[in-house]
Amino acid sequence: QMLVAVPTGSARHAGYRIQRELSPVQQKTPGKFSRGDLWRVTLKIDADQDMNWVVLDDPIPAGARILGDGDGRDATIPDVAQAQTQAQEHDTRQPTFVERSFSTWRGYYDMLPKGRTRIDYTLRLNNPGDFALPPTRIEAMYAPEIFGELPNARLRVEE
């Protein structure tokens, strides 16, 4: 299957629906994204059916850092630790494997049941700029016709 980097304009769904929310954890200027801010990304997925081996791919701005893996003592930041505890209190289904790269948060589920699944992660914005992010996408790995895609708005990070 081929995917083309063409703006879709609206959400597409064929078996999965995605909602994405950004909420501030630490913010320099209220109402703006600034360098050094910590943001909580919440992804809510509604699945029409049980499916095995599903991948959820959520892009991040260039230079941003995904926190929460314990690297660099980020779990010692009080607001990050509190956000992680709150995420664990919600009815979340954790991925079997999580990949935190320089460009995306990616979670692999060996089984994703029908209904709503929620996943949260914390992000530090490290570079200023105007970022055009690709869509957030969820797809059944062995049935690519079952997917969901949500376009991401441009993200402007101030100095």
Side-chain angles (χ1 to χ4, degrees), residues 6-145:
V6 176
T8 59
S10 63
R12 299 184 325 150
H13 52 85
Y16 293 108
R17 286 172 186 75
I18 306 171
Q19 293 177 351
R20 185 175 194 260
E21 298 171 8
L22 289 172
S23 54
V25 175
Q26 288 181 352
Q27 190 176 24
K28 288 181 186 175
T29 308
K32 290 187 177 183
F33 296 98
S34 302
R35 183 175 180 223
D37 286 355
L38 296 178
W39 285 83
R40 192 79 180 147
V41 179
T42 302
L43 300 169
K44 296 176 185 172
I45 298 111
D46 290 308
D48 291 344
Q49 62 189 0
D50 294 346
M51 186 60 68
N52 60 356
W53 291 113
V54 175
V55 63
L56 173 60
D57 189 22
D58 190 42
I60 64 172
R65 172 124 162 55
I66 299 169
L67 304 179
D69 59 1
D71 186 33
R73 297 181 296 177
D74 53 70
T76 61
I77 300 170
D79 291 330
V80 174
Q82 179 184 7
Q84 289 172 346
T85 303
Q86 289 173 349
Q88 291 170 355
E89 291 171 359
H90 287 61
D91 186 22
T92 62
R93 178 167 175 82
Q94 294 300 314
T96 305
F97 178 75
V98 174
E99 189 179 329
R100 294 174 177 94
S101 76
F102 64 91
S103 63
T104 189
W105 180 95
R106 189 173 291 131
Y108 297 88
Y109 293 88
D110 63 351
M111 177 59 166
L112 192 62
K114 179 180 180 178
R116 177 157 282 195
T117 299
R118 173 188 166 138
I119 191 74
D120 299 281
Y121 67 90
T122 305
L123 182 69
R124 175 181 288 135
L125 301 173
N126 291 326
N127 290 340
D130 189 16
F131 301 97
L133 300 174
T136 298
R137 184 173 174 87
I138 186 166
E139 179 179 305
M141 293 171 67
Y142 299 109
E145 67 277 2

Side-chain angles (χ1 to χ4, degrees), residues 61 127-133 153-158:
N127 290 340
D130 189 16
F131 301 97
L133 300 174
R154 292 186 78 87
L155 182 66
R156 178 145 183 81
V157 179
E158 304 290 330

